[in-house]
Amino acid sequence: MATAISIKNVHKIYSKGENTTHALKDFSLEINSGEFFALLGPNGGGKSTLINIIAGPTKKNSGTIKICGLDIDTHREETKFMIGVVPQEVNFDSFFNVNEVLTFCSGYYGIKNNQNYIDEILEKLNLEDKKFANTRALSGGMKRRLLIAKALVHKPKVLILDEPTAGVDVELRHNLWVYMRELNKAGLTVLLTTHYLEEAESLCRRTAIINKGTVVALDDTKKLIKSLGNYKEMTLNFKDKIGKIPEHLEQFKAKKISDYDLVLTFEPKELNKVLTALKDLNPSDIELQSQSLEDVFLKLTYRS
Amino acid sequence: MANPRGTWTLFKRETQRFLKVYMQTILAPVVNNLLYFAVFGFSMHKAIPDIQGITYLQFMVPGLVIMGLVNNAYQNPSSSIILMKYQGIIGDLLSIPLKTYEIFIAFISSALLRSFIVGLVTFITALFFVSFPYTSVPLILISAFLVSLFFSFLGLFVGIWAKEFDNQMFIQTFLIMPLTFLGGVFYPVSSLPGVIGTIAKFDPIVHMINLLRYGFTGIQEISISLSMTVLVTITVAMGIISYFTLRSGWKLKN
Ligand SMILES: Nc1ncnc2c1ncn2[C@@H]1O[C@H](COP(=O)(O)OP(=O)(O)OP(=O)(O)O)[C@@H](O)[C@H]1O
Ligand SMILES: [Mg+2]
């Protein structure tokens, strides 16, 4: 299988005066052509640093990165043509409207008359009615979707997204997922960073976890999540004081956290069983939480 | 792998940027120059004796044209880059498939265009009130080009270096403005007394104005070949500094 992104022994040290941060430590990773790959990691893990090195704004200290076989150091422009990058920081060009920005973007990649494709992307990203709006006048989530559009206008072979769904509401997030899947099916290689396990789980076959600048885990997403013990927590709130914990809830490790609140822990596939068990309990409020990424990292650190 | 369409697109973006805010970028400087014209030219020129056989208005107009060229060539790339930093789109500039020289050409040509527009409008307005013998049109064109080029290079450098608009203003207020005024826009440099006169000898703008004024009117305070040598030398030097600064990624990449 061909390799879309090959990263070998990359080091990045930020230094400002006395302050030095070793953001990437001997980082290596290979992503195959056509893959939908997730890079997961806590704040400060080094995800954006890696992406900015691939994109251009950040310089690495050492190591090699190849895009579809071409070294970014010796083939900087060619490799820029092959990738589309959605940066983490939302930005906007206040002088121009959405359509102008996307037309300029196409031009930078040597494309003339790209209007049809621009319209198609705007529709897929639910931005068509903002086509002539000034970019400053977009909401945060719209600005982020514009970033995605900018990364796509030149039909890259590899799409790299740095937390593309942060600040995008639930419905649009799912639209975005559908669109990214569609692009991936059509042959686009996608590298995605995210804080949401669900996002990685629902989109990406393989996932790497990066912490403190190195890969701490790399596996099939499903296997990875399983090995980490994926579970959900449900908090039940009751109007009346809880007396004894009902026996049939013990299988869900029921725990009283106050006189009125009960916490159940279970695997996602048990959800139906849990709901059935709740039938006669009449809780006044329910809250469902996923195992947080922080829990995952805690486990990983604990293990290693 | 050259990318001419990409370069052209960046030039268009830079140019449309200043055209969209033409009030500030084109109209404001022209109005400024007209004010100088009204105050110093109209109201005072009768009180001021002819200088080396030309009227005060004829003496002043080449200086005003230089001021238009200088300020606009300087401001276009510097403002644009500083704004890109504010808006977070400087990363885009570093991610698009353009080589350093292509980005350089796009920024510099757009700055040249803006400075020519302002210079030309200033000149055309002046023609309503004054006429010139035009001693050397080629010299006018070449020196106007070099002046704009020098200050576009400087503007690009300052844009890269600057963290905020304060830095850009600082250079404008403490370097460009004094050098322009001491450079003899409104009076012959040789009339400056003592120390100021000595300082003015090292002011590169003196040479720029000298060249343009000679082209328009035929009078010269310094030899044309000396002024041309100085102008070509500093322009080439500034061009090299500015190009290699952009290429190094200093203050732009981290
Ligand atoms: N421009 C910079 N100058 C100095 N240090 C930096 C810079 N950018 C990032 N760092 C440091 O490098 C480390 C990695 O940061 P990076 O932004 O790559 O993390 P991240 O994985 O993207 O985090 P997040 O999930 O919060 O986006 C952090 O310690 C950060 O403080
Ligand atoms: Mg990040």
Side-chain angles (χ1 to χ4, degrees):
Chain A
M1 207 183 295
T3 310
I5 307 176
S6 148
I7 301 158
K8 282 214 176 79
N9 314 107
V10 171
H11 280 274
K12 172 64 193 178
I13 298 163
Y14 291 106
S15 47
K16 242 185 215 131
E18 304 264 292
N19 265 338
T20 58
T21 310
H22 208 149
L24 291 175
K25 291 175 202 149
D26 202 29
F27 189 98
S28 300
L29 187 65
E30 295 229 328
I31 295 164
N32 298 323
S33 189
E35 224 181 341
F36 206 134
F37 193 97
L39 193 57
L40 230 70
N43 290 140
K47 304 180 293 296
S48 300
T49 299
L50 179 69
I51 288 181
N52 288 332
I53 290 172
I54 300 175
T58 302
K59 290 193 276 196
K60 58 182 161 53
N61 293 83
S62 61
T64 39
I65 296 178
K66 286 182 184 164
I67 307 289
C68 303
L70 293 181
D71 192 316
I72 64 165
D73 292 332
T74 52
H75 296 80
R76 191 61 275 207
E77 285 70 37
E78 287 91 329
T79 51
K80 281 178 172 177
F81 270 101
M82 293 191 276
I83 57 176
V85 179
V86 179
Q88 179 175 12
E89 300 292 333
V90 168
N91 63 32
F92 59 95
D93 192 344
S94 64
F95 289 94
F96 302 103
N97 68 34
V98 168
N99 199 53
E100 288 169 325
V101 164
L102 294 176
T103 307
F104 285 140
C105 247
S106 311
Y108 296 145
Y109 291 87
I111 306 164
K112 206 179 163 185
N113 305 329
N114 204 20
Q115 195 60 55
N116 287 341
Y117 193 54
I118 289 174
D119 289 342
E120 186 187 321
I121 295 174
L122 287 177
E123 196 194 314
K124 294 281 187 190
L125 292 169
N126 302 83
L127 279 173
E128 65 270 47
D129 45 325
K130 295 291 171 186
K131 186 171 168 185
F132 299 110
N134 186 291
T135 54
R136 187 178 21 194
L138 299 179
S139 75
M142 291 172 189
K143 285 193 187 108
R144 192 169 291 281
R145 278 178 279 142
L146 175 60
L147 290 185
I148 299 176
K150 278 165 72 181
L152 288 171
V153 286
H154 64 287
K155 301 190 177 162
K157 287 184 182 154
V158 179
L159 181 64
I160 301 173
L161 307 124
D162 201 350
E163 295 184 40
T165 54
V168 174
D169 67 38
V170 178
E171 192 192 334
L172 289 170
R173 177 176 299 180
H174 282 275
N175 286 353
L176 219 55
W177 288 6
V178 170
Y179 185 34
M180 289 194 282
R181 265 196 214 105
E182 191 183 311
L183 290 167
N184 176 247
K185 278 227 177 71
L188 183 70
T189 307
V190 187
L191 168 62
L192 171 92
T193 82
T194 178
H195 281 177
Y196 306 115
L197 269 178
E198 282 77 17
E199 193 158 271
E201 194 177 3
S202 108
L203 291 170
C204 308
R205 208 181 58 75
R206 283 204 307 154
T207 294
I209 294 181
I210 170 175
N211 191 22
K212 294 187 181 146
T214 40
V215 177
V216 291
L218 166 67
D219 208 338
D220 199 273
T221 311
K222 298 240 152 46
K223 268 192 216 147
L224 192 70
I225 287 174
K226 205 167 183 183
S227 78
L228 294 167
N230 185 27
Y231 62 86
K232 304 261 176 199
E233 280 183 351
M234 185 185 279
T235 309
L236 305 167
N237 178 272
F238 295 94
K239 278 222 173 61
D240 306 312
K241 266 194 179 176
I242 307 162
K244 212 175 136 266
I245 296 172
E247 246 169 55
H248 70 289
L249 291 184
E250 263 165 25
Q251 54 176 323
F252 308 120
K253 308 185 193 77
K255 212 169 58 193
K256 241 163 62 170
I257 55 167
S258 79
D259 283 346
Y260 301 92
D261 298 290
L262 206 58
V263 177
L264 310 182
T265 307
F266 55 90
E267 282 185 43
K269 61 175 189 236
E270 295 178 300
L271 186 62
N272 253 331
K273 260 166 70 186
V274 173
L275 291 176
T276 320
L278 292 183
K279 231 176 191 170
D280 302 315
L281 288 176
N282 260 328
S284 62
D285 198 7
I286 294 183
E287 210 177 294
L288 189 62
Q289 290 130 346
S290 295
Q291 154 178 254
S292 71
L293 211 50
E294 277 59 41
D295 296 340
V296 174
F297 297 125
L298 262 178
K299 274 185 209 162
L300 280 171
T301 339
Y302 193 66
R303 252 202 240 153
S304 56
Chain B
M1 194 172 133
N3 183 355
R5 180 169 300 281
T7 312
W8 168 245
T9 306
L10 186 58
F11 166 78
K12 269 206 315 207
R13 189 254 167 212
E14 285 305 300
T15 302
Q16 285 184 24
R17 184 199 73 85
F18 78 72
L19 289 178
K20 286 218 172 182
V21 284
Y22 68 94
M23 287 278 229
Q24 289 174 46
T25 54
I26 307 288
L27 238 47
V30 169
V31 168
N32 266 345
N33 279 349
L34 285 178
L35 283 176
Y36 284 124
F37 208 61
V39 174
F40 294 102
F42 276 145
S43 42
M44 292 171 59
H45 88 285
K46 297 220 172 62
I48 302 171
D50 287 1
I51 299 164
Q52 296 182 33
I54 59 169
T55 67
Y56 184 60
L57 268 182
Q58 285 175 323
F59 178 85
M60 192 186 69
V61 168
L64 283 184
V65 171
I66 291 269
M67 267 174 58
L69 298 177
V70 166
N71 290 331
N72 289 282
Y74 169 72
Q75 275 167 14
N76 206 57
S78 53
S79 301
S80 180
I81 295 177
I82 296 168
L83 270 169
M84 283 184 171
K85 289 181 183 172
Y86 275 22
Q87 303 183 332
I89 52 175
I90 197 76
D92 292 6
L93 187 68
L94 303 170
S95 305
I96 56 178
L98 288 180
K99 287 191 157 40
T100 304
Y101 78 86
E102 293 171 319
I103 294 177
F104 191 72
I105 289 173
F107 272 97
I108 298 302
S109 353
S110 181
L112 289 179
L113 181 63
R114 171 165 155 194
S115 93
F116 289 162
I117 293 174
V118 175
L120 199 65
V121 176
T122 309
F123 168 65
I124 291 171
T125 326
L127 287 184
F128 287 97
F129 310 102
V130 59
S131 62
F132 298 97
Y134 303 110
T135 307
S136 169
V137 176
L139 190 69
I140 295 175
L141 296 177
I142 291 169
S143 35
F145 175 73
L146 288 172
V147 169
S148 299
L149 204 56
F150 175 81
F151 282 95
S152 316
F153 290 155
L154 179 68
L156 186 71
F157 175 81
V158 169
I160 296 169
W161 160 76
K163 271 208 183 78
E164 44 198 51
F165 278 106
D166 268 1
N167 303 134
Q168 182 205 32
M169 282 298 295
F170 180 84
I171 300 288
Q172 176 112 25
T173 313
F174 292 98
L175 194 71
I176 298 180
M177 281 284 273
L179 289 182
T180 314
F181 276 79
L182 289 178
V185 175
F186 298 108
Y187 45 77
V189 182
S190 48
S191 70
L192 288 174
V195 186
I196 303 183
T198 318
I199 294 174
K201 287 215 177 75
F202 293 97
D203 178 351
I205 297 187
V206 167
H207 296 283
M208 302 180 184
I209 297 180
N210 185 50
L211 287 167
L212 209 68
R213 192 169 278 145
Y214 177 81
F216 276 106
T217 66
I219 68 163
Q220 62 189 86
E221 287 192 83
I222 305 162
S223 94
I224 295 305
S225 54
L226 173 63
S227 288
M228 194 46 110
T229 312
V230 171
L231 183 54
V232 169
T233 311
I234 61 170
T235 304
V236 170
M238 194 69 233
I240 291 172
I241 291 172
S242 162
Y243 173 78
F244 282 99
T245 308
L246 180 67
R247 204 176 84 154
S248 74
W250 181 66
K251 298 267 181 181
L252 295 180
K253 295 189 182 185
N254 48 41

